[in-house]
Amino acid sequence: MAAMTSAFDLRSVAGWFRLIAVAEAVSWVGLLIGMYFKYLGTPRTEIGVKVFGMTHGLIFIAFVVAGLLAGIAFKWAAGTWLLALLASIVPLCSVIFLIWAERTGRMGRAEAASAVVQPGRRAPETT
């Protein structure tokens, strides 16, 4: 459970970016389900699109802003910025981008985040 809390630590830009990326993917799922019931489902209803359309739009804007802030904080190259922008457009790709950015080290050092979350353990010396 400690790893989960460190991943979404809202004291860092990376934590905010992770939270917004997951929220963007969840809002995509809600919007896709809403679109199913609007066009194909029984009974046909527009409530899902109305609710999740606005929600997804706001979270989409937050993801783009968080991507800009993360890019500045972690000094991303232009290609990484472009991938983050494309990830905001393709359904559920924000989480794929997030996983890729974590694995390639574009979201900062993992050791520093884990040292903050484990109280009672000595932090590694940096001198």
Side-chain angles (χ1 to χ4, degrees):
M1 189 67 177
M4 181 62 77
T5 57
S6 69
F8 296 105
D9 183 14
L10 299 182
R11 294 175 290 180
S12 67
V13 174
W16 275 104
F17 185 75
R18 288 180 191 105
L19 179 68
I20 293 171
V22 170
E24 205 261 346
V26 170
S27 71
W28 254 121
V29 170
L31 184 58
L32 291 172
I33 291 170
M35 289 170 54
Y36 170 79
F37 280 107
K38 179 178 180 179
Y39 297 110
L40 300 172
T42 304
R44 292 190 179 188
T45 179
E46 292 187 16
I47 190 72
V49 174
K50 287 181 181 180
V51 170
F52 284 105
M54 176 64 82
T55 303
H56 176 70
L58 293 173
I59 296 173
F60 167 80
I61 293 168
F63 181 78
V64 172
V65 170
L68 290 172
L69 294 175
I72 292 168
F74 299 118
K75 297 177 178 64
W76 287 348
T80 306
W81 290 74
L82 182 63
L83 285 175
L85 183 61
L86 290 174
S88 68
I89 297 170
V90 179
L92 307 177
C93 203
S94 62
V95 172
I96 294 169
F97 174 80
L98 182 61
I99 292 169
W100 173 79
E102 289 286 340
R103 288 185 180 173
T104 58
R106 287 173 171 80
M107 294 295 291
R109 292 182 29 211
E111 299 87 26
S114 64
V116 171
V117 177
Q118 298 177 356
R121 292 191 181 184
R122 293 184 57 151
E125 303 225 1
T126 58
T127 57

